[in-house]
Coordinates of all heavy atoms in Angstrom, one line a residue:
M4 N -47.8 -11.8 98.3 CA -48.3 -12.4 97.1 C -48.2 -13.9 97.3 O -47.1 -14.4 97.7 CB -47.6 -11.9 95.9 CG -48.1 -12.5 94.6 SD -47.2 -11.7 93.2 CE -48.5 -10.5 92.8
H5 N -49.3 -14.7 97.0 CA -49.3 -16.1 97.2 C -49.3 -16.7 95.8 O -50.2 -16.3 94.9 CB -50.5 -16.6 97.9 CG -50.7 -16.0 99.3 ND1 -50.4 -16.7 100.4 CD2 -51.0 -14.7 99.7 CE1 -50.6 -15.9 101.5 NE2 -51.0 -14.7 101.0
V6 N -48.4 -17.6 95.5 CA -48.3 -18.2 94.2 C -48.4 -19.8 94.3 O -47.7 -20.3 95.1 CB -47.0 -17.8 93.5 CG1 -46.8 -18.5 92.1 CG2 -46.9 -16.3 93.4
D7 N -49.2 -20.4 93.4 CA -49.3 -21.8 93.4 C -48.0 -22.4 92.8 O -47.6 -22.0 91.7 CB -50.5 -22.3 92.5 CG -50.7 -23.7 92.5 OD1 -49.8 -24.5 92.0 OD2 -51.7 -24.2 93.0
K8 N -47.3 -23.2 93.6 CA -46.0 -23.7 93.1 C -46.1 -24.7 92.0 O -45.1 -25.0 91.3 CB -45.2 -24.3 94.3 CG -45.7 -25.6 94.9 CD -44.8 -26.0 96.0 CE -45.4 -27.2 96.7 NZ -44.5 -27.6 97.8
E9 N -47.2 -25.2 91.7 CA -47.4 -26.2 90.5 C -47.7 -25.4 89.3 O -47.1 -25.7 88.2 CB -48.6 -27.1 90.8 CG -48.4 -27.9 92.1 CD -47.9 -29.3 91.9 OE1 -48.1 -29.9 90.8 OE2 -47.3 -29.9 92.8
T10 N -48.6 -24.4 89.3 CA -49.0 -23.7 88.1 C -48.4 -22.3 88.0 O -48.5 -21.7 86.9 CB -50.6 -23.5 88.2 OG1 -50.9 -22.6 89.3 CG2 -51.3 -24.8 88.3
F11 N -47.8 -21.8 89.1 CA -47.2 -20.5 89.1 C -48.2 -19.4 89.0 O -47.9 -18.2 88.7 CB -46.1 -20.3 88.1 CG -44.9 -21.2 88.3 CD1 -44.7 -22.3 87.4 CD2 -44.1 -21.1 89.3 CE1 -43.7 -23.2 87.6 CE2 -43.0 -22.0 89.5 CZ -42.8 -23.0 88.6
Q12 N -49.5 -19.7 89.2 CA -50.5 -18.6 89.1 C -50.7 -18.0 90.5 O -50.6 -18.7 91.5 CB -51.9 -19.2 88.7 CG -51.8 -19.6 87.2 CD -53.1 -20.2 86.7 OE1 -53.8 -20.9 87.4 NE2 -53.5 -19.8 85.5
T13 N -51.0 -16.7 90.5 CA -51.3 -16.0 91.7 C -52.6 -16.5 92.3 O -53.6 -16.6 91.6 CB -51.4 -14.5 91.5 OG1 -50.2 -14.1 90.9 CG2 -51.6 -13.7 92.8
T14 N -52.5 -16.9 93.6 CA -53.8 -17.4 94.3 C -54.3 -16.4 95.3 O -55.5 -16.4 95.6 CB -53.5 -18.7 95.0 OG1 -52.4 -18.5 95.9 CG2 -53.1 -19.8 94.0
A15 N -53.5 -15.5 95.8 CA -53.9 -14.4 96.7 C -52.9 -13.3 96.8 O -51.7 -13.5 96.5 CB -54.1 -15.0 98.1
V16 N -53.4 -12.2 97.2 CA -52.5 -11.0 97.5 C -53.0 -10.4 98.8 O -54.1 -10.1 99.0 CB -52.6 -10.0 96.3 CG1 -51.9 -8.7 96.7 CG2 -52.1 -10.6 95.0
D17 N -52.0 -10.1 99.7 CA -52.3 -9.4 100.9 C -51.4 -8.1 100.9 O -50.2 -8.3 100.7 CB -51.9 -10.3 102.1 CG -52.7 -11.5 102.2 OD1 -53.9 -11.5 101.9 OD2 -52.1 -12.6 102.5
M18 N -52.0 -7.0 100.9 CA -51.2 -5.8 100.7 C -51.7 -4.7 101.7 O -52.9 -4.5 101.9 CB -51.4 -5.2 99.3 CG -50.8 -3.9 99.0 SD -50.9 -3.4 97.3 CE -52.6 -3.4 97.0
T19 N -50.7 -4.0 102.3 CA -51.0 -2.8 103.1 C -50.3 -1.7 102.5 O -49.1 -1.8 102.1 CB -50.5 -3.0 104.5 OG1 -51.1 -4.2 105.1 CG2 -50.8 -1.8 105.4
M20 N -51.0 -0.6 102.2 CA -50.4 0.6 101.5 C -50.8 1.9 102.3 O -51.9 2.1 102.6 CB -51.0 0.7 100.1 CG -50.4 1.8 99.3 SD -50.9 1.8 97.5 CE -52.6 1.7 97.6
D21 N -49.8 2.6 102.6 CA -49.9 3.9 103.2 C -49.2 4.9 102.3 O -48.1 4.8 101.9 CB -49.3 4.0 104.6 CG -49.9 3.1 105.6 OD1 -51.1 2.9 105.5 OD2 -49.2 2.5 106.4
M22 N -50.0 5.9 101.8 CA -49.4 6.9 100.9 C -50.0 8.3 101.1 O -51.1 8.4 101.6 CB -49.5 6.5 99.5 CG -50.9 6.5 98.9 SD -50.8 6.0 97.1 CE -52.5 6.0 96.8
T23 N -49.2 9.3 100.7 CA -49.7 10.7 100.7 C -49.7 11.2 99.3 O -48.6 11.0 98.6 CB -48.9 11.5 101.7 OG1 -48.9 11.0 103.0 CG2 -49.4 12.9 101.7
M24 N -50.8 11.8 98.8 CA -50.9 12.3 97.5 C -51.0 13.8 97.5 O -51.7 14.3 98.4 CB -52.1 11.7 96.7 CG -52.0 10.2 96.5 SD -53.4 9.6 95.5 CE -54.7 9.8 96.6
E25 N -50.3 14.5 96.7 CA -50.4 15.9 96.5 C -51.0 16.2 95.2 O -50.6 15.7 94.2 CB -48.9 16.5 96.5 CG -48.1 16.3 97.8 CD -48.4 17.2 98.9 OE1 -49.0 18.3 98.6 OE2 -48.1 16.9 100.1
M26 N -52.1 17.1 95.3 CA -52.8 17.5 94.0 C -53.3 18.9 94.2 O -54.1 19.2 95.1 CB -53.9 16.5 93.7 CG -54.6 16.7 92.4 SD -56.0 15.6 92.1 CE -55.1 14.1 91.9
E27 N -52.9 19.7 93.3 CA -53.4 21.1 93.2 C -53.2 21.8 94.6 O -54.1 22.5 95.1 CB -54.9 21.2 92.8 CG -55.1 20.7 91.4 CD -56.5 20.7 90.9 OE1 -57.4 21.3 91.6 OE2 -56.8 20.2 89.8
G28 N -52.1 21.6 95.2 CA -51.8 22.3 96.5 C -52.4 21.6 97.7 O -52.2 22.1 98.8
E29 N -53.2 20.6 97.5 CA -53.8 19.9 98.6 C -53.1 18.5 98.9 O -52.6 17.9 97.9 CB -55.3 19.6 98.3 CG -56.1 20.9 98.2 CD -56.3 21.7 99.4 OE1 -56.4 21.0 100.5 OE2 -56.3 22.9 99.4
S30 N -53.2 18.1 100.1 CA -52.5 16.8 100.5 C -53.6 15.9 101.0 O -54.5 16.3 101.7 CB -51.5 17.1 101.5 OG -51.0 15.9 102.1
M31 N -53.5 14.6 100.6 CA -54.4 13.6 101.1 C -53.7 12.3 101.4 O -52.9 11.8 100.7 CB -55.5 13.3 100.0 CG -56.5 12.2 100.4 SD -57.8 11.9 99.3 CE -57.0 11.5 97.7
K32 N -53.9 11.8 102.6 CA -53.2 10.6 103.1 C -54.2 9.4 102.9 O -55.4 9.5 103.3 CB -52.8 10.7 104.5 CG -52.0 9.5 105.0 CD -51.4 9.7 106.4 CE -50.6 8.5 106.7 NZ -49.8 8.6 107.9
V33 N -53.7 8.3 102.3 CA -54.6 7.2 102.1 C -53.9 5.9 102.8 O -52.7 5.7 102.6 CB -54.7 6.9 100.6 CG1 -55.5 5.6 100.3 CG2 -55.3 8.1 99.9
N34 N -54.7 5.2 103.5 CA -54.3 4.0 104.1 C -55.2 2.9 103.6 O -56.4 3.0 103.8 CB -54.4 4.0 105.7 CG -53.6 5.1 106.2 OD1 -52.4 5.3 105.8 ND2 -54.1 5.9 107.1
Q35 N -54.7 1.8 103.0 CA -55.5 0.7 102.5 C -54.9 -0.6 102.9 O -53.7 -0.8 103.0 CB -55.4 0.7 100.9 CG -56.1 1.9 100.3 CD -56.1 1.8 98.8 OE1 -55.2 1.2 98.2 NE2 -57.1 2.2 98.1
V36 N -55.9 -1.5 103.2 CA -55.5 -2.9 103.5 C -56.3 -3.7 102.5 O -57.5 -3.6 102.4 CB -55.9 -3.3 104.9 CG1 -55.6 -4.8 105.1 CG2 -55.1 -2.5 105.9
V37 N -55.6 -4.5 101.6 CA -56.3 -5.3 100.6 C -55.9 -6.8 100.8 O -54.7 -7.1 100.9 CB -55.8 -4.8 99.2 CG1 -56.4 -5.7 98.1 CG2 -56.1 -3.4 99.0
N38 N -57.0 -7.6 100.8 CA -56.8 -9.1 100.8 C -57.6 -9.6 99.7 O -58.8 -9.5 99.7 CB -57.3 -9.7 102.1 CG -56.5 -9.1 103.3 OD1 -57.0 -8.2 104.0 ND2 -55.3 -9.5 103.5
A39 N -57.0 -10.1 98.7 CA -57.7 -10.6 97.5 C -57.3 -12.1 97.2 O -56.2 -12.5 97.3 CB -57.3 -9.8 96.3
D40 N -58.4 -12.8 96.9 CA -58.2 -14.2 96.5 C -58.5 -14.4 95.0 O -59.5 -13.8 94.5 CB -59.1 -15.1 97.3 CG -58.8 -15.2 98.8 OD1 -57.6 -15.2 99.1 OD2 -59.7 -15.2 99.6
Y41 N -57.7 -15.1 94.3 CA -57.9 -15.4 92.9 C -58.2 -16.8 92.6 O -57.6 -17.7 93.2 CB -56.6 -15.0 92.1 CG -56.2 -13.6 92.2 CD1 -55.4 -13.1 93.2 CD2 -56.7 -12.6 91.3 CE1 -55.1 -11.8 93.3 CE2 -56.3 -11.3 91.3 CZ -55.5 -10.9 92.4 OH -55.2 -9.6 92.5
S42 N -59.2 -17.1 91.8 CA -59.6 -18.4 91.4 C -60.3 -18.5 90.1 O -60.5 -17.4 89.4 CB -60.6 -19.0 92.5 OG -61.8 -18.2 92.5
S43 N -60.6 -19.7 89.7 CA -61.4 -19.9 88.4 C -60.7 -19.3 87.2 O -61.3 -18.7 86.3 CB -62.8 -19.3 88.5 OG -63.5 -19.9 89.6
Y44 N -59.4 -19.5 87.1 CA -58.6 -19.0 86.0 C -59.1 -19.7 84.7 O -59.4 -20.9 84.7 CB -57.1 -19.3 86.1 CG -56.4 -18.4 87.0 CD1 -56.2 -18.7 88.4 CD2 -55.9 -17.2 86.5 CE1 -55.5 -17.8 89.2 CE2 -55.2 -16.3 87.3 CZ -55.0 -16.6 88.7 OH -54.3 -15.7 89.5
N45 N -59.3 -18.9 83.6 CA -59.7 -19.3 82.3 C -61.1 -20.0 82.3 O -61.5 -20.8 81.4 CB -58.7 -20.3 81.7 CG -57.4 -19.6 81.5 OD1 -57.3 -18.5 81.1 ND2 -56.3 -20.3 81.8
K46 N -62.0 -19.7 83.3 CA -63.3 -20.3 83.4 C -64.4 -19.2 83.1 O -65.5 -19.6 83.1 CB -63.5 -20.9 84.7 CG -62.6 -22.2 84.9 CD -62.9 -22.9 86.2 CE -61.9 -24.1 86.3 NZ -62.1 -24.8 87.6
V47 N -64.0 -18.0 82.9 CA -65.0 -16.9 82.6 C -65.4 -17.0 81.2 O -64.5 -17.1 80.3 CB -64.4 -15.5 83.0 CG1 -65.3 -14.4 82.6 CG2 -64.0 -15.4 84.4
K48 N -66.7 -17.0 80.9 CA -67.2 -17.0 79.6 C -66.9 -15.7 78.9 O -66.6 -14.7 79.6 CB -68.6 -17.4 79.5 CG -68.9 -18.8 80.0 CD -70.3 -19.1 80.0 CE -70.4 -20.6 80.5 NZ -71.7 -21.0 80.7
G49 N -67.0 -15.6 77.6 CA -66.8 -14.3 76.9 C -67.6 -13.2 77.5 O -68.7 -13.3 77.9
I50 N -67.1 -12.0 77.4 CA -67.7 -10.8 77.8 C -68.1 -10.0 76.6 O -67.2 -9.7 75.8 CB -66.8 -9.9 78.8 CG1 -66.5 -10.7 80.0 CG2 -67.5 -8.6 79.1 CD1 -65.4 -10.1 80.9
T51 N -69.4 -9.7 76.4 CA -69.9 -8.9 75.3 C -70.3 -7.5 75.7 O -71.2 -7.4 76.6 CB -71.1 -9.7 74.6 OG1 -70.7 -11.0 74.3 CG2 -71.5 -8.9 73.4
V52 N -69.7 -6.5 75.1 CA -70.1 -5.1 75.4 C -71.3 -4.8 74.4 O -71.1 -5.0 73.2 CB -68.9 -4.2 75.2 CG1 -69.3 -2.7 75.4 CG2 -67.8 -4.6 76.1
P53 N -72.4 -4.3 74.9 CA -73.5 -3.9 74.1 C -73.1 -2.9 73.0 O -72.3 -2.0 73.3 CB -74.5 -3.3 75.0 CG -74.2 -3.9 76.4 CD -72.7 -4.1 76.3
E54 N -73.6 -3.1 71.8 CA -73.2 -2.2 70.7 C -73.5 -0.7 70.9 O -72.7 0.1 70.5 CB -74.0 -2.6 69.4 CG -73.5 -2.0 68.1 CD -72.0 -2.3 67.8 OE1 -71.6 -3.4 68.1 OE2 -71.4 -1.4 67.3
D55 N -74.6 -0.4 71.6 CA -74.8 1.1 71.9 C -73.7 1.7 72.8 O -73.4 2.8 72.7 CB -76.2 1.3 72.5 CG -76.4 0.6 73.8 OD1 -76.0 -0.5 74.0 OD2 -77.0 1.3 74.7
I56 N -73.2 0.8 73.7 CA -72.1 1.3 74.6 C -70.9 1.5 73.7 O -70.2 2.6 73.9 CB -71.8 0.3 75.7 CG1 -73.1 0.1 76.6 CG2 -70.6 0.7 76.5 CD1 -73.5 1.3 77.3
V57 N -70.6 0.6 72.8 CA -69.4 0.8 72.0 C -69.5 2.0 71.1 O -68.6 2.8 71.0 CB -69.2 -0.5 71.1 CG1 -68.1 -0.3 70.1 CG2 -68.9 -1.7 71.9
K58 N -70.7 2.2 70.5 CA -70.9 3.4 69.6 C -70.8 4.7 70.4 O -70.4 5.7 69.8 CB -72.3 3.3 68.9 CG -72.3 2.3 67.8 CD -73.7 2.2 67.2 CE -73.7 1.2 66.1 NZ -75.1 1.1 65.5
N59 N -71.3 4.8 71.6 CA -71.3 6.0 72.4 C -70.1 6.2 73.3 O -70.1 7.2 74.0 CB -72.6 6.1 73.2 CG -73.8 6.1 72.3 OD1 -73.9 7.0 71.4 ND2 -74.8 5.3 72.5
A60 N -69.2 5.4 73.2 CA -68.0 5.5 74.1 C -67.2 6.8 73.7 O -67.1 7.1 72.6 CB -67.1 4.3 73.9
Q61 N -66.7 7.4 74.8 CA -65.9 8.6 74.6 C -64.5 8.5 75.2 O -64.4 7.9 76.3 CB -66.6 9.8 75.2 CG -67.9 10.2 74.6 CD -68.6 11.3 75.2 OE1 -68.0 12.0 76.1 NE2 -69.8 11.6 74.8
E62 N -63.5 8.9 74.5 CA -62.2 8.8 75.1 C -62.0 10.0 76.1 O -62.4 11.1 75.8 CB -61.2 8.9 74.0 CG -59.7 8.7 74.4 CD -58.7 8.7 73.2 OE1 -59.1 8.2 72.2 OE2 -57.6 9.1 73.5
I63 N -61.3 9.7 77.2 CA -61.0 10.8 78.1 C -59.5 10.9 78.3 O -58.8 9.9 78.2 CB -61.7 10.5 79.5 CG1 -61.2 9.2 80.1 CG2 -63.2 10.5 79.4 CD1 -61.7 9.0 81.6
Q64 N -59.1 12.1 78.6 CA -57.7 12.3 78.9 C -57.4 12.2 80.3 O -58.1 12.7 81.2 CB -57.3 13.8 78.4 CG -57.5 14.0 77.0 CD -56.6 13.1 76.1 OE1 -55.4 12.9 76.4 NE2 -57.1 12.6 75.0
M65 N -56.4 11.4 80.7 CA -56.0 11.2 82.1 C -54.8 12.0 82.4 O -53.9 12.1 81.7 CB -55.8 9.7 82.3 CG -57.0 8.8 82.0 SD -58.3 8.9 83.2 CE -57.7 8.1 84.5

């Protein structure tokens, strides 16, 4: 994790993840390499969700 020492904001993340998941008697191994850069904090304009999407949204159980 990279952090700007002046603002303390995260500027980047480098992550390697190896894991095995068990689900319904099956096993799956996942290997991921993630390199993410963060920028433009507080510069995104408002996000508007269309009204028909809000009205038709359905809750799902996780």
Side-chain angles (χ1 to χ4, degrees):
M4 184 173 260
H5 304 253
V6 177
D7 183 294
K8 65 182 178 180
E9 305 260 334
T10 64
F11 299 108
Q12 290 182 320
T13 302
T14 57
V16 172
D17 301 320
M18 177 176 54
T19 302
M20 180 172 56
D21 297 323
M22 68 178 176
T23 302
M24 296 184 290
E25 301 276 340
M26 184 181 292
E27 298 181 6
E29 297 291 327
S30 173
M31 178 173 55
K32 186 171 182 170
V33 178
N34 301 314
Q35 291 182 328
V36 176
V37 177
N38 302 101
D40 293 320
Y41 297 89
S42 63
S43 301
Y44 281 95
N45 299 319
K46 294 184 181 175
V47 175
K48 295 181 180 172
I50 299 171
T51 303
V52 178
E54 190 61 33
D55 63 317
I56 301 296
V57 174
K58 285 182 181 177
N59 294 311
Q61 296 179 6
E62 186 173 330
I63 60 171
Q64 297 296 321
M65 301 288 285

